[in-house]
Amino acid sequence: MRYITAFLFFLITLTIQAQDNPISLKVTGTIVNDNNLAPIANVNVINLNKVKGTITNAKGFFELEVSVNDTLHLSSLGFQSLRIRVTNDWLKNGTAKIMLTEKAIALEEVIVKKYDLTGYLEIDSKLIPEKENYRYSISGLPQAYEAGESSPNAFTRVLGSIFNPADMLYNFFGNKPKELKKLKQMKKDDTVRNLLESKFDRETISLLLGVDKKEIAEILTHCNYSESFIKTANDLQIMDAISECYEQYKVLTKKTEKYIKE
């Protein structure tokens, strides 16, 4: 009986490990234009589960590490983005042909507002609106994104969210630990980093974190980033900003828990 119990325990352990660490395989595909079937080069292919990516070559071909049921996100300038799931059939049948649809882009009217400057510095400095950009550096990066001094409310806002279960930061950081771990994984993959650095639409970040695009702006507002930064930063800068706020949140949470225990 003892041996049977030990054997069953061994089988259960193997099953759990298999579920936690699905077998990694290579999937291949060719991406073409659905209008003329021409291959599309430089399409970004991101595995949302493993946070790894690649780009298609001149023939539209790509190869990427995957597991069954992983979701791939395909995006390219001028084409509609596409999400596809990795199936057993795809892995068995070999290279799949994937079609992307061109976007119908219409330019909207752009109104450029001017400042009626006089040429006198003392007067003109008062005519140009002044923006308060409190955050001025992102942890781990050599370049500053915003000018100005650090806001005195940045610390209290994050700290306040720890004690308030209804606060957005509490709900976001507390309920998405797996998604937030992907932030560090994103930095390790050059394809993902390069893609985020070239994009401003928040699409890839929202998919990786499992949040709406509007929520990203709200999260950064709660982290005390300025409206100017939120609107103009590229996706890589936004990712680093959320990561910095999350790290600060974790530190404050640990200190708060320690204080409560004492």
Side-chain angles (χ1 to χ4, degrees):
M1 184 67 182
R2 183 184 302 172
Y3 295 109
I4 295 174
T5 303
F7 180 70
L8 289 173
F9 178 76
F10 177 72
L11 286 178
I12 293 171
T13 303
L14 285 178
T15 303
I16 293 173
Q17 288 179 345
Q19 292 175 345
D20 292 339
N21 302 296
I23 299 173
S24 293
L25 304 165
K26 292 281 187 179
V27 75
T28 58
T30 301
I31 302 177
V32 299
N33 187 325
D34 71 343
N35 184 39
N36 53 21
L37 300 183
I40 308 173
N42 299 317
V43 177
N44 292 286
V45 184
I46 306 296
N47 185 330
L48 297 178
N49 300 82
K50 289 184 167 45
V51 198
K52 292 184 178 181
T54 186
I55 59 174
T56 57
N57 61 19
K59 296 181 179 180
F61 179 82
F62 73 89
E63 182 181 69
L64 188 63
E65 181 182 329
V66 299
S67 296
V68 177
N69 293 325
D70 280 356
T71 299
L72 306 186
H73 178 66
L74 284 59
S75 62
S76 181
L77 186 64
F79 291 87
Q80 295 180 12
S81 298
L82 181 68
R83 273 184 286 174
I84 54 176
R85 189 174 294 276
V86 177
T87 63
N88 281 310
D89 289 339
W90 184 359
L91 293 168
K92 289 178 183 177
N93 297 331
T95 302
K97 181 178 286 186
I98 304 165
M99 299 183 184
L100 291 185
T101 304
E102 291 185 64
K103 286 182 180 179
I105 301 175
L107 293 176
E108 299 179 357
E109 181 182 4
V110 178
I111 299 175
V112 179
K113 295 182 179 180
K114 65 176 183 178
Y115 297 117
D116 295 321
L117 303 180
T118 64
Y120 294 96
L121 181 61
E122 190 173 328
I123 298 174
D124 292 343
S125 62
K126 297 177 181 179
L127 294 174
I128 299 174
E130 184 178 337
K131 295 182 179 179
E132 293 182 335
N133 297 333
Y134 296 122
R135 293 277 184 172
Y136 60 92
S137 64
I138 303 299
S139 178
L141 297 179
Q143 186 173 333
Y145 296 138
E146 297 190 7
E149 297 180 356
S150 179
S151 169
N153 297 324
F155 177 85
T156 53
R157 280 197 183 187
V158 178
L159 184 62
S161 69
I162 297 172
F163 293 101
N164 182 9
D167 190 278
M168 184 176 187
L169 286 183
Y170 181 96
N171 290 325
F172 177 70
F173 290 147
N175 295 330
K176 293 185 177 292
K178 291 183 179 180
E179 288 82 355
L180 288 163
K181 285 182 180 178
K182 291 181 180 180
L183 291 172
K184 291 184 178 179
Q185 292 178 263
M186 293 182 209
K187 296 181 180 181
K188 296 178 182 178
D189 191 282
D190 290 337
T191 302
V192 177
R193 283 186 61 86
N194 293 336
L195 171 62
L196 293 176
E197 192 173 15
S198 65
K199 297 189 72 175
F200 294 80
D201 59 7
R202 317 298 184 239
E203 179 184 33
T204 306
I205 293 180
S206 66
L207 289 172
L208 289 167
L209 295 180
V211 297
D212 188 78
K213 293 180 183 180
K214 293 181 180 178
E215 286 185 86
I216 293 174
E218 292 177 18
I219 291 163
L220 291 173
T221 299
H222 278 70
C223 292
N224 220 55
Y225 284 89
S226 71
E227 183 181 355
S228 174
F229 172 78
I230 295 170
K231 287 183 177 180
T232 61
N234 63 39
D235 286 0
L236 180 61
Q237 293 170 334
I238 293 295
M239 179 197 76
D240 280 314
I242 294 175
S243 180
E244 181 193 32
C245 189
Y246 178 52
E247 292 301 321
Q248 185 183 35
Y249 179 88
K250 287 196 300 182
V251 170
L252 292 175
T253 301
K254 289 180 181 179
K255 289 183 178 180
T256 304
E257 290 175 351
K258 184 179 179 182
Y259 175 77
I260 292 173
K261 288 180 181 179
E262 291 177 351

